[in-house]
Amino acid sequence: MRIAIAGAGIGGLLTALSLEAAGFDDIGVYERSAEIRGLGVGINLLPHAVRELTELGIVDDIAAHAVRPTSLAYFNAFGQSIWSEPRGTAAGYRWPQLSVHRGRLQLVLRDLVRERLGEVIRTDHRLVDVRSGADAAGRALARFATGRGAQEVAADVVIGADGIHSALRAQHYPAEGAPPSNGLTLWRGVARAAPFLDGRTMIMAGDGELKFVAYPLGPVEADGRMPINFIAERREAGGASRAAEWNRAVPVEPIAERFADWRFDWLDVPALIRSADEILEYPMVDRDALPRWTFGNATLLGDAAHAMYPNGSNGASQAVLDARTLAHRLATAATPEEGLAAYEAERRPATTALHAQTRGTGPERVMLLAAERAPQGFAHIHEVIAPEELEDIAAGYKRAAGFHPESLNARSSLTVRG
């Protein structure tokens, strides 16, 4: 079976590795960029994704560049504690959570694809469209634009892992337009600074108008500092109208000034922002949930299928689940068409439910409730939100995202046996 993957991001590369592990050996990966440069900032791989990386036998390669956070804590805009919970193995999972630089992860996956599959990545190949069943053997014809002109690739299955601006998605949903923004602007960066709290905690602070997220990306170094990934978020007057880009650098000082009063006992937010060498800006956008992913022998995967807000830190993890599920279903179905149908039947409803939760702010809803009920702060959070309500919000999101500890630990493996 010949399989063509459009996109060499996290989802596309993991799909190639998953397919190879499931027994497929005729795979091509087509990337629009002239080279894979490993851009971006920090991301989180949650336990349900780390389970799949473990079963693929690549988790050690990734963990060598990652940190294992042991807790997640929510605070209001005054730095007062709302909710804290253990993460990874400390929360009863059999697998940890990993915080890693997105660019480093992409380069590790690129190297693993080359090691396991050979030179199957073709750069400077931008997907234009796919015609299912178009060649004499009934295979799909994927058309790519390259620096040397148009090129057609015949494949039994074409996978559109080409991101939020997916050409395959646009081909079947031409009226969709640009990704819609919710009016929030994000600024992301990596700083080198002294550890905060216990040095192993991921924090989220703020409300629906102004929010700050930070977590370590590496160990404490000889000078007492460590790399810390952060995300600053603000609702802009008139909304965020700029088109979605992921690597637009902006000056540091104006972002630090937006958080000038956020000096907590446990973290000086403006000082942390000023420690960044570079800050990248983009609007918070997603895509509407789709009624269909698969068209003939072509399907969507990752952000091309279900780009969602980063509330809950789940985007990359869902791409991992897509990749592993698709490989398993293709390997265990009688025909490619049956495999694609089984993949969509499992993953599309699950991501649609999760998409709705992220638009409702996901587990970060606890910060909105605290701001609504106690806009000037509180003496103790349980005077504002009952502990049962906090626990229900956290557990509900885990169930929707597929990483509630009990269900994840008990779920059957997606590894293809024999």
Side-chain angles (χ1 to χ4, degrees):
M1 184 189 299
R2 172 66 177 169
I3 302 174
I5 302 168
I10 306 304
L13 294 171
L14 275 166
T15 300
L17 291 166
S18 298
L19 289 166
E20 188 274 337
F24 297 97
D25 59 6
D26 191 0
I27 302 163
V29 182
Y30 301 88
E31 165 60 33
R32 66 179 300 162
S33 301
E35 62 176 323
I36 298 174
R37 295 184 289 162
L39 301 174
V41 286
I43 61 172
N44 280 279
L45 298 168
L46 301 182
H48 53 321
V50 177
R51 171 181 178 172
E52 303 308 326
L53 301 175
T54 303
E55 295 191 8
L56 271 177
I58 64 173
V59 73
D60 289 343
D61 299 88
I62 296 166
H65 304 278
V67 169
R68 300 185 178 199
T70 55
S71 59
L72 168 65
Y74 295 93
F75 299 85
N76 65 5
F78 304 102
Q80 297 172 312
S81 177
I82 299 171
W83 168 257
S84 180
E85 63 180 41
R87 301 295 274 187
T89 54
Y93 296 100
R94 292 168 54 193
W95 302 271
Q97 177 176 325
L98 297 177
S99 301
V100 62
H101 190 283
R102 183 207 171 276
R104 173 52 56 187
L105 173 61
Q106 185 182 19
L107 294 177
V108 169
L109 295 176
R110 177 203 63 186
D111 293 346
L112 286 167
V113 167
R114 289 174 174 170
E115 175 186 319
R116 295 188 175 192
L117 285 80
E119 295 298 328
V120 301
I121 301 173
R122 302 286 181 266
T123 56
D124 187 30
H125 279 66
R126 177 178 59 82
L127 182 66
V128 177
D129 56 35
V130 178
R131 291 179 292 144
S132 290
D135 84 340
R139 296 178 298 180
L141 287 176
R143 185 161 58 100
F144 295 91
T146 78
R148 300 174 302 281
Q151 179 182 347
E152 280 194 334
V153 173
D156 298 284
V157 172
V158 177
I159 300 165
D162 49 343
I164 196 168
H165 299 295
S166 168
L168 180 58
R169 180 178 179 129
Q171 177 183 341
H172 295 285
Y173 298 94
E176 191 171 37
S181 168
N182 67 355
L184 294 168
T185 298
L186 305 181
W187 297 279
R188 306 188 68 166
V190 178
R192 290 186 70 256
F196 58 87
L197 297 177
D198 62 356
R200 307 282 287 183
T201 294
M202 178 179 184
I203 67 100
M204 299 187 183
D207 51 38
E209 301 300 313
L210 201 61
K211 187 177 79 175
F212 191 77
V213 179
Y215 51 88
L217 277 184
V220 178
E221 299 167 356
D223 62 359
R225 297 186 295 174
M226 67 192 312
I228 298 173
N229 185 81
F230 67 83
I231 307 165
E233 174 185 312
R234 181 179 178 179
R235 189 171 301 280
E236 300 287 85
S241 59
R242 188 173 56 79
E245 303 170 29
W246 312 130
N247 297 293
R248 178 177 180 264
V250 297
V252 171
E253 188 57 32
I255 313 307
E257 283 299 316
R258 286 175 165 86
F259 292 83
D261 297 331
W262 288 43
R263 292 183 171 89
F264 310 141
D265 293 341
W266 48 273
L267 179 65
D268 186 329
V269 172
L272 182 64
I273 294 172
R274 290 188 178 101
S275 299
D277 292 331
E278 180 182 60
I279 292 183
L280 307 177
E281 176 189 89
Y282 60 92
M284 187 185 284
V285 298
D286 66 357
R287 286 288 194 187
D288 291 336
L290 293 178
R292 181 180 176 188
W293 291 358
T294 304
F295 304 88
N297 38 2
T299 197
L300 299 168
L301 182 143
D303 279 352
H306 49 69
M308 59 186 71
Y309 299 150
N311 302 328
S313 306
N314 219 327
S317 295
Q318 293 302 311
V320 176
L321 293 178
D322 286 352
R324 288 279 286 167
T325 303
L326 177 56
H328 184 273
R329 300 299 177 256
L330 286 174
T332 54
T335 66
E337 291 76 16
E338 289 182 15
L340 293 178
Y343 156 70
E344 179 171 338
E346 180 169 344
R347 292 298 299 149
R348 188 170 58 80
T351 56
T352 297
L354 182 59
H355 179 276
Q357 285 236 9
T358 60
R359 283 193 169 177
T361 69
E364 296 169 27
R365 182 164 167 255
V366 295
M367 295 190 296
L368 300 185
L369 290 177
E372 290 170 3
R373 298 176 186 179
Q376 303 305 315
F378 45 78
H380 193 285
I381 187 59
H382 292 165
E383 299 173 359
V384 180
I385 310 175
E388 296 81 6
E389 188 175 4
L390 292 167
E391 291 168 3
D392 286 347
I393 292 170
Y397 180 78
K398 291 184 180 72
R399 283 190 290 268
F403 74 109
H404 192 278
E406 292 179 3
S407 58
L408 175 60
N409 291 342
R411 177 175 63 74
S412 60
S413 174
L414 291 172
T415 296
V416 177
R417 307 295 180 185

